DNA sequence: AAGACGAAAGTGGTTGA
DNA sequence: TCAACAACTTTCGTCTT
């Protein structure tokens, strides 16, 4: 038991805030923090992930009045593009009559004519903006449905803008590009979602999403770290209702596996699933392969294969 | 009856000529 | 551009608890 190091997430930056009214259901502590970056509520004493996939309750991207605009302090440059009427503004009608149906005076008539002209011009100029409006609203919907924290949503918005600058909207649908940006943002922040999960909530296929993402990674030169199995452990463990000791154990197993070089080239979710399976047995909180395979979105066969590899390595480790 | 195991064939993506 | 290739999935029969 002593070799199990309980990993504690502590208050490290301002993304984390205390939420006093919540009590940890594992140890009863009130030392519970809210981590917006990871989208989780975590007990600071025992490390239990109390809540994840929190719904983002922050202000909307769009704003329609000067007062509202002042409140939008949480976003940076993408906001410039998100202030838009979204097609809801008044359109000056084509008839030269006032609201009573009377003909307009010549001077007034000329004025209205000028206004119409400018409205037409600004509208045709804003096709790019309209793309962003649509994209950002889709991003809002997707992120909120998946419980993605706002900081990651912003990251995704920035990535999307970069993609637009590279003219990626020519070859890729808005939906695919939004989903790919979100996927990339999650990878960058080390709390990966699987392609499957995002494709499911978005209205595109996994294949389309994968293609869009690969194109995105190539065109927008940014470093997207490889997702490691360890990144998936907290989420899967929580979905399976496993205790912290199991996930700590699983993480330890994965670290050893990585040192042994048997994780390379393997699906990280499958790897994470197998580690949790073994850790569950070791910690007497067994879950069936089927249950684990379901939350990790891989097949039982894959869990088994990874599991066999891990066990093979572990026996060597025990023997030496 | 449910879970675990493994073989065999199929699928979609990557790589290197 | 195409074929070889590795990883993963699907399917299904058998063994174990």
């Amino acid at each position: 038991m002593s070799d199990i190091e309980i990993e504690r997430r502590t208050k490290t930056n301002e993304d984390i805030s205390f939420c006093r009214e919540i009590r940890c259901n594992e140890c009863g502590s009130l030392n519970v923090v809210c981590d917006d970056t990871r989208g989780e509520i975590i007990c600071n004493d025992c490390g239990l992930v109390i809540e994840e996939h929190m719904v983002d309750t922050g202000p909307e991207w769009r704003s329609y009045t000067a007062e509202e605009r002042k409140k939008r302090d949480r976003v940076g440059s993408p906001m410039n593009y998100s202030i838009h009427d979204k097609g809801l503004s008044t359109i000056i009608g084509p008839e030269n009559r006032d609201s009573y149906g009377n003909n307009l005076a010549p001077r007034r008539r000329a004025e209205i004519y000028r206004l119409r002209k400018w409205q037409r011009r600004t509208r045709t100029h804003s096709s790019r903006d309209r793309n962003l409006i649509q994209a950002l609203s889709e991003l809002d919907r997707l992120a909120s449905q998946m419980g993605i924290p706002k900081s990651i949503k912003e990251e995704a918005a920035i990535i999307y803008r970069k993609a637009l600058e590279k003219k990626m909207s020519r070859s890729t649908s808005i939906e695919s590009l939004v989903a790919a940006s979100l996927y990339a943002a999650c990878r960058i922040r080390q709390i990966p979602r699987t392609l499957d999960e995002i494709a499911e909530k978005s209205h595109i296929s996994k294949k389309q999403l994968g293609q869009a993402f690969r194109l995105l990674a190539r065109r927008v030169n940014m470093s997207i770290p490889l997702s490691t199995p360890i990144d998936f452990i907290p989420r899967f463990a929580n979905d399976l209702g496993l205790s912290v000791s199991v996930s700590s154990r699983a993480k330890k197993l994965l670290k050893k596996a990585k040192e042994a070089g048997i994780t390379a080239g393997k699906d990280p979710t499958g790897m994470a699933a197998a580690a949790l399976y073994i850790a569950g047995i070791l910690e007497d909180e067994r879950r069936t392969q089927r249950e684990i395979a379901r939350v990790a979105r891989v097949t039982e066969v894959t869990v088994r294969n990874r599991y066999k590899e891990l066990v093979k390595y572990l026996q060597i480790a025990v023997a030496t």
Side-chain angles (χ1 to χ4, degrees), chain A residues 230-259:
Chain A
I230 294 176
D231 293 332
F232 289 100
I233 291 291
R235 205 150 53 84
F236 291 168
N238 199 46
D239 286 350
L240 288 163
L242 289 165
S243 69
V244 202
S245 49
V246 176
S247 62
S248 310
R249 189 89 176 221
K251 284 182 192 173
K252 287 207 151 198
L253 291 172
L254 287 173
K255 277 176 196 156
K256 283 185 181 173
K258 194 181 177 184
E259 284 163 21

Side-chain angles (χ1 to χ4, degrees), chain A residues 1 4 6 26 46 48 236-250 273-289 291-292:
Chain A
M1 190 66 190
I4 297 165
I6 302 292
E26 190 81 5
C46 69
L48 178 75
F236 291 168
N238 199 46
D239 286 350
L240 288 163
L242 289 165
S243 69
V244 202
S245 49
V246 176
S247 62
S248 310
R249 189 89 176 221
L276 275 175
Y277 179 66
I278 296 174
I281 294 169
L282 291 176
E283 294 291 326
D284 220 26
E285 284 186 54
R286 198 186 177 108
R287 293 291 181 277
T288 65
Q289 293 180 354
E291 286 175 295
I292 292 177

Side-chain angles (χ1 to χ4, degrees), chain A residues 53-56 139-148 153:
Chain A
H53 295 344
M54 291 187 303
V55 174
D56 180 8
L139 178 63
D140 249 357
R141 186 194 68 76
L142 195 56
S144 152
Q145 198 175 349
M146 297 189 67
I148 305 271
K153 192 167 79 178

Side-chain angles (χ1 to χ4, degrees), chain A residues 200-215:
Chain A
E200 188 184 295
K201 302 288 180 186
S202 161
H203 298 125
I204 55 173
S205 69
K206 184 187 173 185
K207 188 179 174 182
Q208 282 176 301
L209 174 55
Q211 286 171 343
F213 171 70
R214 256 176 289 128
L215 196 65

Side-chain angles (χ1 to χ4, degrees), chain A residues 119-150:
Chain A
Q119 189 175 52
R120 214 169 39 238
R121 286 187 183 172
T122 53
R123 269 156 59 90
T124 51
H125 263 283
S126 64
S127 78
R128 174 197 152 89
D129 286 359
R130 279 210 301 278
N131 179 315
L132 254 167
I133 292 302
Q134 203 183 328
L136 291 175
S137 114
E138 167 69 8
L139 178 63
D140 249 357
R141 186 194 68 76
L142 195 56
S144 152
Q145 198 175 349
M146 297 189 67
I148 305 271
K150 64 186 179 185

Side-chain angles (χ1 to χ4, degrees), chain A residues 77-236:
Chain A
S77 41
M79 283 314 299
N80 297 337
Y81 296 98
S82 60
I83 308 163
H84 194 277
D85 59 14
K86 208 193 171 190
L88 293 175
S89 65
T90 309
I91 291 168
I92 302 168
E95 288 159 42
N96 290 320
R97 291 167 192 276
D98 65 15
S99 50
Y100 299 104
N102 301 322
N103 285 328
L104 294 167
R107 225 176 131 171
R108 181 76 179 140
R109 203 165 160 165
E111 191 184 341
I112 293 293
Y113 177 76
R114 281 199 305 278
L115 285 173
R116 263 206 297 269
K117 185 165 76 183
W118 279 106
Q119 189 175 52
R120 214 169 39 238
R121 286 187 183 172
T122 53
R123 269 156 59 90
T124 51
H125 263 283
S126 64
S127 78
R128 174 197 152 89
D129 286 359
R130 279 210 301 278
N131 179 315
L132 254 167
I133 292 302
Q134 203 183 328
L136 291 175
S137 114
E138 167 69 8
L139 178 63
D140 249 357
R141 186 194 68 76
L142 195 56
S144 152
Q145 198 175 349
M146 297 189 67
I148 305 271
K150 64 186 179 185
S151 64
I152 292 184
K153 192 167 79 178
E154 284 163 31
E155 179 103 38
I158 292 168
I159 292 170
Y160 187 88
R161 280 181 61 235
K162 285 181 183 168
L164 269 195
E165 280 165 23
K166 301 278 180 184
K167 311 272 187 209
M168 276 191 65
S169 51
R170 292 270 166 238
S171 53
T172 318
S173 75
I174 290 177
E175 279 190 333
S176 304
L177 209 47
V178 165
S181 302
L182 191 59
Y183 176 72
C186 288
R187 281 268 295 266
I188 288 170
R189 295 304 183 90
Q190 312 260 294
I191 47 165
R193 298 304 197 266
T194 61
L195 286 173
D196 267 326
E197 289 172 286
I198 294 183
E200 188 184 295
K201 302 288 180 186
S202 161
H203 298 125
I204 55 173
S205 69
K206 184 187 173 185
K207 188 179 174 182
Q208 282 176 301
L209 174 55
Q211 286 171 343
F213 171 70
R214 256 176 289 128
L215 196 65
L216 179 73
R218 199 180 323 147
R219 295 280 278 280
V220 181
N221 53 335
M222 52 185 178
S223 61
I224 299 173
L226 289 173
S227 46
T228 74
I230 294 176
D231 293 332
F232 289 100
I233 291 291
R235 205 150 53 84
F236 291 168

